[in-house]
Amino acid sequence: MTAAERLDATFAALADSTRRAILARLAQGGASVAELAEPFAMSQPAISKHLKVLEHAGLISTVQDAQRRPRKIEGARLGEATAWLEEYRQFWESRYSALDELLSELQAKSPTKPAKSKRPPRRTR
Amino acid sequence: MTAAERLDATFAALADSTRRAILARLAQGGASVAELAEPFAMSQPAISKHLKVLEHAGLISTVQDAQRRPRKIEGARLGEATAWLEEYRQFWESRYSALDELLSELQAKSPTKPAKSKRPPRRTR
């Protein structure tokens, strides 16, 4: 799979609340199909279908040598999706920074109305 | 839309490389349908279809009062998707930290074989 195909598969797999709930459960530790099906009003075959989508996307894997073949979460693909989104967050953060600078400028111009800021004040050494 | 429905729509919209490329273009600034269609071997109606998916997911919006009705990127939904993924990253990072601690312990037990570490050595004051 190319990087674009991996992102396609990852985002498509994440576009379903049952599959996101399965990932949330697996984030607590490995679980069998029966264990994963339990909290949902869904048959094991229906859950297996969702697991296939997650496994195809590389978001989970099956522990082959264990008797009950538990599924476990795989971090790499979610990391790639996060990295893609991070680029956009940085973009907005720089815009927020620009807004922050503007607010600082306005604050400097009217010192009687200090703007609230989450940042600690800069110390002069 | 509920939070789950918003994540469904966001991740589904992101599961297509053309739509991700459109967002990358819009991250540079607003653009009309004609401008967005230009770099792709795609008709304007085909691009409009992708824009509808992005707009339904709240990832872009149309500047209504402008003549050429440019599209612009909307940060909130991508922020929500990032926040969802962040929870998993923190989970892996804590596992990496646990591995890091284990390596430090092994290093302390066999001081003749110092393990490589990206972290600067701790200074004693």
Side-chain angles (χ1 to χ4, degrees), chain A residues 13-121:
Chain A
L14 295 180
D16 181 281
S17 58
T18 302
R19 289 196 290 268
R20 290 197 302 276
I22 288 170
L23 285 174
R25 167 64 189 82
L26 290 177
Q28 311 294 319
S32 66
V33 180
E35 285 167 338
L36 289 168
E38 210 192 80
F40 301 101
M42 242 181 234
S43 64
Q44 283 195 26
I47 289 293
S48 289
K49 220 169 166 180
H50 283 305
L51 293 177
K52 263 183 200 162
V53 176
L54 289 167
E55 196 149 7
H56 168 74
L59 294 170
I60 64 167
S61 64
T62 305
V63 183
Q64 293 294 349
D65 55 348
Q67 184 68 27
R68 54 186 198 126
R69 299 177 78 243
R71 267 59 171 186
K72 67 184 181 73
I73 208 163
E74 293 288 339
R77 298 292 167 83
L78 283 172
E80 285 179 15
T82 309
W84 186 87
L85 281 158
E86 273 302 321
E87 282 195 39
Y88 289 81
R89 194 152 80 145
Q90 280 159 18
F91 178 72
W92 303 316
E93 274 177 354
S94 71
R95 290 179 64 166
Y96 286 133
S97 298
L99 186 66
D100 212 37
E101 274 172 38
L102 181 68
L103 283 171
S104 296
E105 276 175 41
L106 292 172
Q107 192 177 354
K109 278 176 189 169
S110 55
T112 51
K113 280 189 176 181
K116 280 179 190 174
S117 176
K118 281 182 191 172
R119 290 185 191 172

Side-chain angles (χ1 to χ4, degrees), chain B residues 39-51:
Chain B
F40 301 101
M42 244 181 231
S43 65
Q44 283 196 26
I47 289 292
S48 288
K49 220 169 165 181
H50 283 305
L51 293 176

Side-chain angles (χ1 to χ4, degrees), chain B residues 32-45:
Chain B
S32 67
V33 179
E35 285 167 337
L36 288 168
E38 211 193 79
F40 301 101
M42 244 181 231
S43 65
Q44 283 196 26

